Amino acid sequence: ITDYCIGCDGAVRTVCIYSDKSFDQITSIREDSESRTSNLLIKVLNEHHWSKKQNISIVPFDAVAEASLLIGDKALMAEKKYKYVLDLGLEWKKLTGLPFVFAVWVCRPTVDPIFIQALNDIFKYFLETEDLFSKLQLSDDSISNLKQYFEKNISYR
């Protein structure tokens, strides 16, 4: 219902596979417990991209595996904890040459056009507000990292 989404056009940083083994050596990936979209994405990538090179099993989030899909804050916190990281936004881009959309705003049956306009205005304000990050009480490095993520890794249109 909006002009916006949560997507990426290349590396996204918050939807990644983490392991202490190199990707060409893993045989199993554990799904994330919080994202149906990302779990489906690893299955599609496995079937159409990775399976041409190796045999990988995708297992439920409560199973033991050599690698784990992590999303959101968990992924950002894991960036320095694991030896190997495989970004699914970048893998999708390599496979298709296209951006990937993780989430959209949908409803049924209809929504008041005033509400839709208000939602679009909120997204537009967020994307155009330069000093949004200056209001946060974080270190300069943390603010720089957040700006990088929200301005470069995530695509909204």
Side-chain angles (χ1 to χ4, degrees):
I1 62 169
T2 71
D3 298 335
Y4 299 92
C5 69
I6 297 176
C8 66
D9 194 3
V12 68
R13 288 184 53 210
T14 51
V15 182
C16 299
I17 296 170
Y18 294 90
S19 182
D20 286 323
K21 284 186 166 183
S22 65
F23 189 75
D24 60 343
Q25 295 178 334
I26 66 168
T27 59
S28 58
I29 302 170
R30 179 178 44 233
E31 296 178 324
D32 188 276
S33 63
E34 299 173 9
S35 176
R36 186 166 186 260
T37 302
S38 301
N39 291 336
L40 291 171
L41 177 56
I42 60 172
K43 289 175 182 173
V44 169
L45 287 169
N46 191 38
E47 183 178 336
H48 297 284
H49 188 45
W50 304 325
S51 65
K52 295 173 183 170
K53 301 172 199 150
Q54 67 198 87
N55 185 19
I56 300 173
S57 298
I58 309 299
V59 299
F61 69 89
D62 56 354
V64 175
E66 297 169 321
S68 297
L69 170 64
L70 298 175
I71 67 157
D73 291 344
K74 293 182 298 187
L76 290 175
M77 291 188 300
E79 283 181 329
K80 295 180 177 130
K81 290 182 181 179
Y82 290 89
K83 193 171 180 181
Y84 297 97
V85 179
L86 191 69
D87 189 294
L88 296 190
L90 190 56
E91 288 296 298
W92 178 260
K93 185 75 174 186
K94 286 179 193 175
L95 175 65
T96 67
L98 299 169
F100 188 82
V101 175
F102 292 96
V104 296
W105 282 261
V106 298
C107 70
R108 59 179 186 211
T110 59
V111 174
D112 184 338
I114 294 170
F115 175 79
I116 294 172
Q117 185 59 51
L119 197 52
N120 278 325
D121 290 346
I122 290 167
F123 282 115
K124 183 177 181 190
Y125 173 79
F126 170 76
L127 292 172
E128 293 176 355
T129 302
E130 293 292 325
D131 67 338
L132 185 67
F133 297 98
S134 66
K135 294 178 172 70
L136 301 173
Q137 295 179 337
L138 297 171
S139 70
D140 289 343
D141 284 345
S142 294
I143 289 174
S144 177
N145 195 18
L146 281 174
K147 282 184 82 159
Q148 162 80 24
Y149 173 69
F150 283 110
E151 294 174 357
K152 306 285 186 224
N153 297 111
I154 297 292
S155 170
Y156 300 94
R157 290 187 172 86

